[in-house]
Amino acid sequence: MRIITKKDSIPNEFIAASRKHFAKSVDAHGHDFFEIEFIISGHGSYVIDGKHYDVRPKTLFLMNPAQIHTVDADMELINVMFQCEYDGDFFAFPLTGGNHTPVFQLSDSDYEFLLALLSELVAVHKTDCRYAMLLLRCVLRKLMSCLPTNAIENHPPYIQQTILYMLENFRTGITLESAAEYLGLSKAYLSDCFSKQLGVNFKTYLDGIRFSHAKNLLAFTSIPLTEIHERSGFYDYANFTRRFKQKYGCSPGAYRKEHTS
């Protein structure tokens, strides 16, 4: 499995967009950026973190950097790749937690509205990045309106920003200190607010993202066991193995044997 980087895929490191015909299979892969795939026509399937989703017209997939997916389809789509940091600003949108699926089946009116926004985004993203990012914000806010009320995690913007920072950077050696510095907050303030809002501290939440990603790598890829920890943001194999067994009651190797598909 490979990780597609924004350096390779997003020329300005902020946003790239295209409308295209796609007709092939792509093996399991991940990104270090967010991706929208807006299906205009066609058929096929996505498998995202082991779950199968049919490709249908008026479907939109929104994938975050912690997810692994494969594609086998013949379709026309609009693809948007983006990161959530732009001139120090973040997209604060509660679409990144565990209470929603990465797929939206759109109504006729929502489809037409998003098609207009995304078509304009494709047309302008190379010449007016700021305008393209504003259009993308509109798309993401519209997607929020498509979610059930109980699926929206209404945390304050700086908590959402912290989670987005984690999702985009969990493979690296980020810390509470680096997150606080990036957000322009004090370490103590961010730590206190994060724990009060989410009921767990920064490190525990970050480890949850990393362990969840490690489980997906074990179950849905053939990456060697000795590489899983680094690809998930852990830098000590022995410590990762010990903590994995404490958390899940089995070794990474045993987990792979039981869950490989």
Side-chain angles (χ1 to χ4, degrees), residues 5-237:
T5 67
K6 56 180 176 282
K7 180 179 179 181
D8 295 331
S9 302
I10 307 177
N12 61 17
E13 295 191 356
F14 298 121
I15 189 168
S18 62
R19 179 167 175 164
K20 59 188 177 182
H21 181 244
F22 177 100
K24 59 182 176 180
S25 298
V26 179
D27 292 335
H29 64 283
H31 311 133
D32 67 356
F33 50 83
F34 290 81
E35 182 176 42
I36 287 173
E37 300 215 313
F38 178 81
I39 313 303
I40 297 169
S41 64
H43 58 87
S45 65
Y46 281 68
V47 178
I48 304 172
D49 289 346
K51 295 182 179 179
H52 181 278
Y53 301 95
D54 290 331
V55 167
R56 298 189 182 102
K58 303 177 184 177
T59 301
L60 184 147
F61 295 92
L62 171 61
M63 290 159 284
N64 72 50
Q67 291 175 315
I68 299 167
H69 57 285
T70 64
V71 186
D72 182 8
D74 184 346
M75 57 188 173
E76 183 180 2
L77 75 156
I78 293 176
N79 172 268
V80 182
M81 298 174 283
F82 64 98
Q83 67 172 34
C84 287
E85 308 159 36
Y86 182 52
D87 288 353
D89 194 10
F90 279 84
F91 290 97
F93 62 101
L95 293 174
T96 54
N99 294 331
H100 77 281
T101 62
V103 59
F104 297 79
Q105 191 63 51
L106 303 168
S107 67
D108 289 347
S109 59
D110 287 343
Y111 169 80
E112 293 297 336
F113 179 67
L114 290 174
L115 178 60
L117 288 175
L118 290 168
S119 297
E120 178 74 355
L121 193 158
V122 169
V124 304
H125 77 281
K126 291 182 179 179
T127 56
D128 193 341
C129 188
R130 286 184 179 274
Y131 177 37
M133 298 298 261
L134 287 172
L135 290 166
L136 180 58
R137 286 178 186 269
C138 293
V139 170
L140 296 173
R141 296 298 299 184
K142 182 60 180 177
L143 291 179
M144 283 175 57
S145 74
C146 297
L147 291 172
T149 303
N150 61 2
I152 298 177
E153 299 176 353
N154 287 311
H155 301 305
Y158 55 85
I159 298 298
Q160 296 172 27
Q161 291 165 1
T162 305
I163 294 172
L164 293 171
Y165 177 81
M166 290 176 170
L167 285 168
E168 286 196 320
N169 297 284
F170 73 92
R171 296 182 181 91
T172 69
I174 62 170
T175 62
L176 175 64
E177 290 84 351
S178 68
E181 180 180 1
Y182 196 88
L183 292 165
L185 302 172
S186 74
K187 173 184 172 183
Y189 179 78
L190 179 59
S191 177
D192 183 59
C193 291
F194 196 90
S195 297
K196 286 180 178 178
Q197 286 290 325
L198 297 175
V200 296
N201 62 32
F202 180 94
K203 181 67 163 58
T204 300
Y205 195 97
L206 177 60
D207 281 348
I209 294 173
R210 288 170 167 167
F211 276 119
S212 178
H213 189 65
K215 287 197 304 178
N216 287 333
L217 292 179
L218 290 166
F220 309 124
T221 78
S222 58
I223 294 171
L225 292 174
T226 52
E227 295 181 19
I228 295 289
H229 67 292
E230 285 194 48
R231 291 181 180 242
S232 304
F234 297 99
Y235 293 97
D236 183 294
Y237 177 69

